[in-house]
Amino acid sequence: DAGVIQSPRHEVTEMGQEVTLRCKPISGHDYLFWYRQTMMRGLELLIYFNNNVPIDDSGMPEDRFSAKMPNASFSTLKIQPSEPRDSAVYFCASSLSEQGHYGYTFGSGTRLTVV
Amino acid sequence: AQSVTQLDSQVPVFEEAPVELRCNYSSSVSVYLFWYVQYPNQGLQLLLKYLSGSTLVKGINGFEAEFNKSQTSFHLRKPSVHISDTAEYFCAVSGPGSARQLTFGSGTQLTVLP
């Protein structure tokens, strides 16, 4: 099992540009989570999906952020337009519902820098 | 809703010394508790978890944690640390529901000094 795969590992973009982060969860996992990590705010849950359906997006900071999960093996987090304050490490994680209490498997993250 | 407090943001310790990283949680319902470790430029890796049963939980890399319900604590310990243990450690709690959504503490940076 290759684990949770995120791409790109690093992204540098100019303010105002659109940014798309990608995630491939572990095959068979039915929950997918997007987290953001910053020095100031720590780890924040942005949104999570169950069986490709968004369940809770209350952590999405504003309308510039959107997330989709078109199928069980792929999810995207999009920021449009990007701003310097969006600079952070974005993590994707997945879990299997029956084993949710075992915790999540995290990807290696995407480090986003908006200049 | 649940919350997690990690009382120390940074813990320096000399190699081969014991260490304790403190974690307290608050929740009105039964919870599951976790410790994750994050090495530089990497994702979070599960270190250990408490689900039920014995309050002393053993994890990877020689770490262990003790669940104390009366004190609502889940402190992480290691009797002798190595340089390679230098990392950030996160305590997390999950609540009811099949997703068991994780709420993380703010993290503790453990630095092992030679």
Side-chain angles (χ1 to χ4, degrees):
Chain A
D1 193 335
V4 177
I5 300 173
Q6 292 187 247
S7 64
R9 286 297 308 272
H10 302 274
E11 176 80 40
V12 180
T13 190
E14 291 185 346
M15 182 174 62
Q17 296 298 306
E18 177 180 294
V19 176
T20 299
L21 312 181
R22 297 172 176 80
C23 174
K24 177 179 169 58
I26 290 175
S27 177
H29 280 191
D30 55 352
Y31 278 87
L32 184 140
F33 305 82
W34 282 100
Y35 281 84
R36 178 172 69 175
Q37 185 180 35
T38 62
M39 289 292 291
M40 293 297 295
R41 301 174 70 91
L43 275 159
E44 304 172 277
L45 177 65
L46 300 178
I47 184 172
Y48 76 91
F49 296 83
N50 175 222
N51 291 323
N52 315 334
V53 176
I55 303 300
D56 184 352
D57 65 355
S58 59
M60 297 285 263
E62 48 197 277
D63 292 345
R64 297 184 297 106
F65 286 69
S66 62
K68 294 182 180 180
M69 193 164 185
N71 56 62
S73 59
F74 184 65
S75 177
T76 60
L77 178 67
K78 185 177 294 186
I79 308 172
Q80 166 62 20
S82 57
E83 297 182 3
R85 60 193 169 121
D86 301 330
S87 297
V89 181
Y90 291 81
F91 287 104
C92 175
S94 69
S95 74
L96 186 61
S97 57
E98 293 82 8
Q99 298 179 0
H101 54 292
Y102 284 98
Y104 307 161
T105 301
F106 281 81
S108 298
T110 295
R111 182 176 296 276
L112 173 65
T113 303
V114 183
V115 298
Chain B
Q2 44 277 353
S3 65
V4 179
T5 301
Q6 291 184 244
L7 298 166
D8 306 298
S9 61
Q10 297 194 36
V11 174
V13 63
F14 287 106
E15 193 173 18
E16 298 183 4
V19 70
E20 178 181 83
L21 306 183
R22 296 181 293 170
C23 172
N24 286 89
Y25 70 93
S26 65
S27 176
S28 58
V29 297
S30 62
V31 296
Y32 294 157
L33 294 156
F34 306 83
W35 276 97
Y36 282 83
V37 59
Q38 184 180 29
Y39 298 103
N41 300 314
Q42 294 187 26
L44 281 75
Q45 178 184 355
L46 183 64
L47 202 56
L48 51 78
K49 57 187 179 288
Y50 171 78
L51 307 179
S52 65
S54 172
T55 58
L56 184 62
V57 179
K58 294 188 183 298
I60 62 173
N61 301 340
F63 283 93
E64 62 182 31
E66 186 158 17
F67 171 61
N68 188 318
K69 188 173 182 179
S70 62
Q71 297 186 8
T72 60
S73 68
F74 190 56
H75 300 335
L76 181 70
R77 302 186 183 100
K78 187 170 182 178
S80 176
V81 295
H82 303 289
I83 297 288
S84 59
D85 292 323
T86 295
E88 186 142 23
Y89 292 79
F90 292 91
C91 183
V93 62
S94 70
S98 60
R100 295 268 172 180
Q101 179 180 324
L102 285 176
T103 299
F104 286 90
S106 55
T108 298
Q109 174 64 44
L110 173 64
T111 302
V112 181
L113 307 168

